[in-house]
Amino acid sequence: MPSLHLRHVCVEFPIYQGSSRSLKKILISGTTKGNLARDAFDRVNVRALSDVSFDVENGERFGIIGPNGAGKTTLLKVLAGIYKPTQGRVMALINASVGLNPDATGRENIILRGMYMDIHPRAMRRHIDAVAEFTELGDYLDMPVRTYSSGMMVRLAFAISTCIRPEILVLDEWLAAGDAQFLAKAQKRMEEFVSGSSIVVLASHSLALVRQWCRRAIYLRQGVAQAIGPVEDVIACYAAALL
């Protein structure tokens, strides 16, 4: 059965202009509250996640909340395998999605995304008609993605990502782009998708959305876990901090 296990996970990003006077002043003043430090190569590092540990078991819906810059998206990218922790260990049955190739056609991108998800092109071709019907892109599927509007790219990326149901679903916010007609159709599919996945991890600024879909949550602030537990308790802790 699918599960997620994080143990003492840290993520740091080096700043290669770390010798600048302004950055030195920040380090000396301590205004970053410990988020900046120097590594063994004397580079200034920004610590995006610090000593984060939690488990998500089969059947759970897990929320990630916190202010801007808290580390929510970074944590999702660690879960998706996009970022490798500088310290700690992550185990997950999950494949990261990748961006669309702007020089490939929409139809080619369906196959390319499937290959990245370890789905054989022959198997992915069986989903092309369904993706085409859902996106309603018509002849644009045979044109390079660089010619698409942002709304058209949203349609294609969403349809490809949801044509095969994963065991573990990682969401950064909720779908909030596209025209009203497509958004209504996408919302319905998203709800079915979430309901049918074994594990869902949702990062969002919307506490109402996290409360609706999640049973447990983590509250992050400056990359540090402030609370982990039942969603109502974690939301209460976050709300108290905002006050």
Side-chain angles (χ1 to χ4, degrees):
M1 290 185 178
S3 61
L4 296 169
H5 306 280
L6 276 73
R7 293 292 179 269
H8 309 294
V9 168
C10 299
V11 174
E12 296 178 348
F13 300 104
I15 301 176
Y16 292 99
Q17 293 80 19
S19 60
S20 68
R21 288 190 176 186
S22 60
L23 201 49
K24 284 183 178 178
K25 287 181 180 179
I26 293 174
L27 285 168
I28 293 172
S29 67
T31 55
T32 55
K33 300 180 182 179
N35 275 18
L36 291 181
R38 290 192 179 275
D39 63 14
F41 300 98
D42 201 35
R43 297 174 304 189
V44 175
N45 283 356
V46 175
R47 176 161 283 195
L49 292 176
S50 181
D51 198 28
V52 176
S53 299
F54 62 84
D55 298 315
V56 184
E57 302 297 340
N58 184 50
E60 283 197 285
R61 274 79 180 110
F62 191 82
I64 304 173
I65 60 175
N68 287 330
K72 299 186 298 297
T73 299
T74 300
L75 179 53
L76 286 184
K77 289 182 177 180
V78 169
L79 294 175
I82 298 172
Y83 289 162
K84 182 178 180 181
T86 51
Q87 298 177 37
R89 180 165 52 89
V90 180
M91 293 188 300
L93 297 177
I94 193 167
N95 287 318
S97 62
V98 293
L100 299 174
N101 184 331
D103 294 319
T105 67
R107 199 175 301 274
E108 291 168 341
N109 267 291
I110 297 172
I111 303 301
L112 291 173
R113 180 71 68 91
M115 292 172 63
Y116 189 86
M117 296 187 295
D118 292 327
I119 301 171
H120 194 279
R122 184 168 53 252
M124 202 63 190
R125 286 189 187 96
R126 293 197 288 266
H127 298 278
I128 289 179
D129 289 344
V131 170
E133 181 180 358
F134 190 86
T135 61
E136 300 176 355
L137 289 177
D139 293 338
Y140 278 100
L141 270 183
D142 296 306
M143 296 178 65
V145 166
R146 57 182 161 75
T147 65
Y148 288 16
S149 68
S150 59
M152 291 165 68
M153 285 190 284
V154 167
R155 287 178 176 231
L156 181 61
F158 179 82
I160 297 172
S161 298
T162 58
C163 70
I164 295 176
R165 187 164 293 170
E167 288 184 298
I168 299 177
L169 178 63
V170 173
L171 297 170
D172 192 0
E173 290 296 344
W174 200 262
L175 186 71
D179 58 78
Q181 182 179 355
F182 176 75
L183 186 58
K185 182 165 64 170
Q187 290 280 17
K188 183 176 184 297
R189 176 178 279 199
M190 184 68 81
E191 291 176 5
E192 295 171 351
F193 209 59
V194 169
S195 299
S197 298
S198 297
I199 289 177
V200 175
V201 181
L202 168 65
S204 180
H205 287 288
S206 171
L207 299 183
L209 193 62
V210 172
R211 182 179 279 116
Q212 176 185 356
W213 286 104
C214 303
R215 296 295 171 263
R216 293 176 61 242
I218 181 173
Y219 158 36
L220 291 175
R221 186 175 65 197
Q222 293 188 326
V224 178
Q226 305 296 313
I228 303 174
V231 67
E232 292 296 342
D233 294 346
V234 173
I235 288 177
C237 181
Y238 180 38
L242 291 176
L243 295 175

